[in-house]
Amino acid sequence: MNYILITGASSGIGKACAQWFAAKWYNLILAARSIDKLEALKAEILKDHAVDIVCKQLDVTDTRGVDVFFEDLKKEKAQICCCINNAGLALGEDEFSQVAWRDLETMIDTNVKGFTHVAHWIVPFLKQTAGHLFNLSSVAWVEQYEWGHVYCASKAYVKFLSKSLRLEVFGSWVRITDIAPGAVDTEWFSMTRFKGNKSKANAVYAGYEPLHAEDIVNTILFCYESPKHVNIEYLAIMPTAQAAARKVYREE
C-alpha cells in the first residue's frame, strides 16, 4: 500500500494537503508535533473518505526523534510514493541585530536542519517507488526583503538543495518540485511570526485577497498528477494582488 507523507500536517498548508489528498483517495502518513491535532484531523477526514491514515508525532528539530520516526517506517517497510516536506516557520520581522538569537536559531533548526534531515531520510524511500518530493520554499528566496534576513536565507537553502537533489536523483525517476508560495493566509503562519499578535498578523493580509492553503494544494496536486515523464522543478504561486515579495496592491 502506497502512502503520501506530509510533515507539518496539523495546520496550514500541511493540513489542507491532508484533506485534499484524502479526497483524491490517497493514503496518508501525517506527521506533526501535536499528535492530538493529527488524530482530530484523521477523524474529520475519515467521516467522508475511506482511506488509510497513519498519525505519527514528529518534531523536525529533534534529531533523534527524526531518526526514530524514519527507522520505524523502514522497519514497517512503508511504501512512500510522495513526501510533502512542509514543516517551516518565520519568527519576527525586526532588524537583524535586534531579533532574539533564539528566534533566529529556531528558524535555522526548522527550515534548514529539520528540512534537510527529512529530505536526507526520504530520498531512499522515494527511489523505491519512483516517488515525488515536494519541498516548500517561498518567493522570499527570489526577492529578499528587509527584516526577512534568516527566513529569506533559509528558503534560498530549500531552493538550492532541491535543485541539487534533482541532479542527484536524475535517472531514478524520482521527481522533485520546489513550491514557492507568495503571501498565504493560513491560521497560524503570521500568528506564529508575530507571536500571537493578531492585529499585526491581520495587517499582513489587509486590503487584498492573499493565497489560501487550498491554492497551494491545488498547485501540488497539479504537479503530482502530471504524467510521470513530467517533472515541474519549480513553481512560484502568488496572489494576483502581489507582484513581488513586498509589492502588494491594497484596496482602501
Side-chain angles (χ1 to χ4, degrees):
M1 187 180 293
N2 285 339
Y3 289 87
I4 291 176
L5 168 62
I6 305 170
T7 66
S10 63
S11 62
I13 293 170
K15 180 179 179 179
C17 284
Q19 293 166 326
W20 283 54
F21 272 89
K24 290 274 190 172
W25 303 106
Y26 291 106
N27 300 310
L28 306 173
I29 298 174
L30 305 181
R33 287 178 297 177
S34 173
I35 193 69
D36 291 340
K37 288 182 179 179
L38 291 179
E39 291 292 351
L41 175 59
K42 174 181 177 178
E44 176 188 327
I45 290 172
L46 291 180
K47 289 178 183 177
D48 300 311
H49 308 294
V51 297
D52 193 53
I53 301 176
V54 178
C55 296
K56 289 179 174 284
Q57 190 170 35
L58 177 66
D59 178 353
V60 299
T61 68
D62 177 0
T63 300
R64 181 59 189 149
V66 174
D67 287 340
V68 170
F69 176 89
F70 282 101
E71 285 166 0
D72 287 347
L73 290 180
K74 193 173 181 179
K75 290 175 187 174
E76 295 160 5
K77 300 186 186 304
Q79 297 294 304
I80 300 174
C81 59
C82 177
C83 173
I84 302 171
N85 196 358
N86 166 69
L89 54 84
L91 288 173
E93 201 176 42
D94 298 314
E95 185 179 337
F96 179 64
S97 62
Q98 301 302 312
V99 179
W101 171 250
R102 183 57 192 148
D103 287 350
L104 300 180
E105 191 174 42
T106 298
M107 285 189 280
I108 293 168
D109 286 347
T110 306
N111 300 357
V112 177
K113 293 167 66 178
F115 158 79
T116 304
H117 204 173
V118 170
H120 182 255
W121 266 105
I122 200 61
V123 168
F125 285 86
L126 297 177
K127 283 183 175 179
Q128 293 176 359
T129 61
H132 200 148
L133 173 59
F134 288 92
N135 293 326
L136 274 289
S137 66
S138 167
V139 296
W141 81 261
V142 184
E143 298 168 332
Q144 300 78 35
Y145 51 88
E146 67 274 25
W147 311 303
H149 38 77
V150 168
Y151 177 73
C152 294
S154 70
K155 292 305 180 178
Y157 177 88
V158 172
K159 165 60 183 174
F160 292 117
L161 184 62
S162 296
K163 180 59 180 180
S164 181
L165 290 179
R166 169 78 173 111
L167 294 169
E168 275 195 28
V169 302
F170 175 73
S172 69
W173 298 105
V174 172
R175 295 187 290 175
I176 295 181
T177 300
D178 167 28
I179 300 291
V184 186
D185 185 5
T186 68
E187 71 265 30
W188 73 272
F189 184 82
S190 284
M191 285 290 283
T192 299
R193 182 169 212 165
F194 296 113
K195 300 182 178 180
N197 188 320
K198 195 167 185 178
S199 62
K200 280 189 176 181
N202 290 342
V204 174
Y205 310 112
Y208 72 104
E209 183 170 7
L211 298 174
H212 305 287
E214 293 76 13
D215 299 317
I216 309 305
V217 183
N218 268 328
T219 303
I220 292 172
L221 277 167
F222 170 76
C223 295
Y224 183 64
E225 294 186 336
S226 293
K228 291 296 183 182
H229 69 281
V230 177
N231 189 130
I232 300 170
E233 287 193 11
Y234 167 70
L235 199 55
I237 172 172
M238 299 173 74
T240 304
Q242 183 182 28
R246 284 299 174 89
K247 190 174 181 64
V248 176
Y249 179 78
R250 301 176 189 268
E251 296 181 350
E252 295 181 0

